[in-house]
Amino acid sequence: MQHVSDRSSAIRIAPSILSADFARLGEEVRAIEAAGADMVHVDVMDNHYVPNLTIGPLVCAAIRPHVRIPIDVHLMVQPVDALIPLFAKAGANLITFHPEASLHPDRTLTLIREHGCRAGLALNPATSLSVLEHLMDKLDMLLLMSVNPGFGGQQFIASTLAKLTVARERIDAHTAAGGQPIWLQVDGGIKPDNIAAVKRAGADTFVAGSAVFGAADDDGGYRTVIRHLRQQAQQG
Ligand code: DX5
Ligand code: ZN
């Protein structure tokens, strides 16, 4: 297992490079690390599972030497399994996939851990929490999508808050019964003005793409926005 901080009370901010300047990716990820980001969120889209096409393991490997913080790979691809060894080799620390995209989600979670990464499951806004029922023991992170996957810059779907509350109850019950810690991540439309409510509903790990990379970094803008997101989350 690669080293990833595991303070369960922590607030983790994971800027999504989907909104970064792709022509200057090395510089961009160094800038967010220097600005206090906890992880780099990498959105992998295949124009099949989602209607957009982004980046593969080569790009993950290219940014790996530029940062020490964990690389959090969000796979929006179908099928999933063949890409896991490639992203693990490319330096991913966490790998998350959508259960609808894998024929055998239990096998896929096991495969991720066998490759030394933390295993995450991502649920779309319309996907029920019931898929967790037989998978909790194999999860290191649950990602609730607060937009439909495929694009940055979309609006937060408010019904995610109630879903987060239920997910938080399930995770807490699991750990209280002796189960492993599970991070609860939220992804899509996270901004300084809604992050407190999202934290209050139970999330501990926050993806933010356009909110972070929409700020110009020439005068320390990334640091200001990451600090602001963290401070607002602490109010939650
Ligand atoms: C959407 C991606 C998100 C996206 C978030 O499919 O999974 O990670 O980059 O972008 P914002 O924060 O702009 O909604
Ligand atoms: Zn994402």
Side-chain angles (χ1 to χ4, degrees), residues 12-182:
R12 296 173 209 92
I13 307 288
S16 163
I17 59 168
L18 190 61
S19 294
D21 179 349
F22 273 39
R24 299 168 39 250
L25 263 190
E27 212 178 303
E28 290 277 70
V29 294
R30 287 200 304 275
I32 56 160
E33 179 173 60
D38 297 291
M39 308 198 283
V40 181
H41 185 83
V42 175
D43 285 307
V44 179
M45 305 184 185
D46 67 349
N47 187 37
H48 174 69
Y49 181 67
V50 290
N52 200 352
L53 183 65
T54 59
I55 60 182
L58 286 175
V59 176
C60 183
I63 61 174
R64 178 70 280 179
H66 290 271
V67 286
R68 286 201 247 177
I69 51 177
I71 295 182
D72 170 33
V73 170
H74 177 191
L75 294 179
M76 288 159 274
V77 302
Q78 186 174 26
V80 180
D81 291 4
L83 286 175
I84 288 167
L86 302 183
F87 274 101
K89 197 166 172 220
N93 300 88
L94 298 97
I95 301 180
T96 298
F97 68 98
H98 290 250
E100 301 90 343
S102 171
L103 280 177
H104 305 287
D106 180 283
R107 175 179 288 153
T108 304
L109 288 168
T110 301
L111 191 62
I112 294 170
R113 284 178 161 187
E114 281 173 357
H115 281 83
C117 298
R118 291 188 168 216
L121 203 60
L123 306 188
N124 290 327
T127 302
S128 167
L129 292 170
S130 63
V131 302
L132 297 174
E133 192 179 353
H134 303 291
L135 295 173
M136 289 293 272
D137 288 339
K138 300 203 165 168
L139 276 187
D140 298 300
M141 186 166 79
L142 172 63
L143 163 54
L144 296 193
M145 294 300 300
S146 41
V147 297
N148 287 293
F151 303 94
Q154 302 181 83
Q155 187 150 8
F156 182 84
I157 295 173
S159 61
T160 311
L161 293 175
K163 196 175 178 186
L164 277 167
T165 305
V166 178
R168 169 50 59 200
E169 284 168 6
R170 296 222 185 141
I171 288 171
D172 287 351
H174 177 78
T175 43
Q180 81 287 4
I182 299 173

